[in-house]
């Protein structure tokens, strides 16, 4: 039997409480100031691959949507990341963070040095959205329900613990505090409206679990490669690569 709307929303929120990547030990290190400069850089490089792929994921989703109202509602997500004439966009803001931590933004944008596991996890998410039902694709995006908390903690922790942190370098996170609530309000309402059978509710819940796994797997790979020394896989970023010119000279 299908859950009530209230019960199903509580089920989705419980998934985040138990599985969202704010619980990963790497974030404790990052927000608490325990990461080395190279560990921060590795995080920025690998997370960029995810940021770069989000508009492609959203474009893949929109290509399958036959309803103009849903396409219009979803379109702003691409603009938030790619930018517009009035808004530089999240990708550009992330590259400003890359520059602030001592990386060459062109190197980061090239996506060279990204961990294999990061690629596998993020590419799997893009395929998931391209191939699964629209309900599952929207449900997978509902990790945004839990994002404002991690962005607020990240801003506070980075400002407290790292010299590179300022309004410019952290502008991505500040903007997501404004953008994400709008996106998730629409996405949550859409999922609750359309998950009207037990089968659909189970599929939506499993989609959200899949997305939390995607996020968690990226941090597992990052920790294995850069927190536990000597486990950087072939082809992945090495700490002497991709540095800004002034960093190389210092």
């Amino acid at each position: 039997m299908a859950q009530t709307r209230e019960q199903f929303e509580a089920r989705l929120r419980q998934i985040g409480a138990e599985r969202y990547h704010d619980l990963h030990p790497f974030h404790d290190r990052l927000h608490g100031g325990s990461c080395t400069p190279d560990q921060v850089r590795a995080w920025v490089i690998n997370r960029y691959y995810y940021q770069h792929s989000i508009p492609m994921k959203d474009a893949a989703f929109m290509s399958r949507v036959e309803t103009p109202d849903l396409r219009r509602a979803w379109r702003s997500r691409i603009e938030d990341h790619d930018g517009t004439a009035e808004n530089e966009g999240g990708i550009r803001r992330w590259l400003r963070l890359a520059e602030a931590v001592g990386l060459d933004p062109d190197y980061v944008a090239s996506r060279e040095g990204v961990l294999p596991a990061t690629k596998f996890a993020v590419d799997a998410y893009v395929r998931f959205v391209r191939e699964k039902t629209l309900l599952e694709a929207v449900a997978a995006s509902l990790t945004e329900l839990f994002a404002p908390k991690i962005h607020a903690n990240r801003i506070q922790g980075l400002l407290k613990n790292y010299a590179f942190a300022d309004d410019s370098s952290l502008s991505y996170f500040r903007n997501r505090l404004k953008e994400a609530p709008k996106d998730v309000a629409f996405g949550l309402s859409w999922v609750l409206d359309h998950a009207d059978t037990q089968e659909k509710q189970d599929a939506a819940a499993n989609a959200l679990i899949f997305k939390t796994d995607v996020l968690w797997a990226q941090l597992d790979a990052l920790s294995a490669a850069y927190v536990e020394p000597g486990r950087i896989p072939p082809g992945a970023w090495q700490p002497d690569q991709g540095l800004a010119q002034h960093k190389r000279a210092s």
Side-chain angles (χ1 to χ4, degrees):
M1 179 181 296
Q3 295 175 297
T4 67
R5 188 182 182 95
E6 292 74 19
Q7 290 170 334
F8 184 52
E9 179 175 347
R11 177 182 176 185
L12 295 174
R13 292 185 181 277
Q14 187 62 29
I15 291 170
E18 295 175 353
R19 304 177 70 108
Y20 190 56
H21 67 161
D22 62 336
L23 301 173
H24 197 284
F26 185 85
H27 279 146
D28 289 337
R29 293 179 60 86
L30 179 65
H31 300 166
S34 298
C35 280
T36 67
D38 285 335
Q39 288 167 351
V40 174
R41 291 174 187 136
W43 170 68
V44 169
I45 289 168
N46 281 273
R47 179 74 183 192
Y48 177 80
Y49 191 79
Y50 177 80
Q51 303 302 145
H52 154 85
S53 300
I54 291 299
M56 297 176 3
K57 177 269 298 186
D58 289 324
F61 174 80
M62 287 180 60
S63 72
R64 302 170 55 214
V65 174
E66 298 181 1
T67 308
D69 288 347
L70 181 53
R71 287 199 300 269
R72 278 193 296 269
W74 211 262
R75 190 180 305 148
S76 65
R77 295 171 183 249
I78 295 178
E79 294 174 348
D80 286 345
H81 282 81
D82 282 349
T84 64
E86 297 79 24
N87 173 19
E88 66 177 336
I91 289 177
R92 179 56 236 169
R93 293 187 185 99
W94 195 268
L95 291 175
R96 194 156 66 242
L97 171 63
E99 193 168 17
V101 303
L103 291 164
D104 179 349
D106 289 337
Y107 174 83
V108 177
S110 75
R111 306 181 303 285
E112 295 180 26
V114 174
L115 289 165
T118 299
K119 294 179 182 178
F120 280 120
V122 175
D123 291 352
Y125 179 41
V126 176
R127 285 196 304 274
F128 184 95
V129 172
R130 183 181 295 124
E131 297 171 0
K132 294 291 187 176
T133 66
L134 296 184
L135 175 62
E136 289 168 297
V138 177
S141 77
L142 293 184
T143 48
E144 293 169 340
L145 279 168
F146 324 115
K149 177 183 175 183
I150 199 172
H151 289 325
N153 289 342
R154 184 168 292 155
I155 291 168
Q156 181 181 17
L158 296 184
L159 284 171
K160 179 180 179 181
N161 293 300
Y162 300 94
F164 70 81
D166 57 25
D167 285 344
S168 176
S169 62
L170 302 186
S171 62
Y172 173 84
F173 309 112
R174 294 194 185 281
N175 273 271
R176 289 308 295 164
L177 285 173
K178 296 181 291 185
E179 295 166 349
K182 163 183 62 72
D183 292 342
V184 78
F186 175 85
L188 177 60
S189 178
W190 197 92
V191 168
L192 295 176
D193 286 343
H194 289 81
D196 53 3
T197 67
Q198 181 180 344
E199 181 181 10
K200 290 179 180 179
Q201 289 177 347
D202 290 346
N206 287 333
L208 182 55
I209 290 172
F210 167 81
K211 177 63 179 303
T212 61
D213 288 347
V214 166
L215 296 172
W216 196 277
Q218 292 176 67
L219 294 180
D220 273 352
L222 196 65
S223 296
Y226 298 103
V227 178
E228 302 171 25
R231 298 187 60 189
I232 301 175
W237 178 74
Q238 297 284 344
D240 60 346
Q241 295 176 329
L243 301 181
Q245 289 299 322
H246 67 85
K247 189 65 182 177
R248 292 193 181 94
S250 62

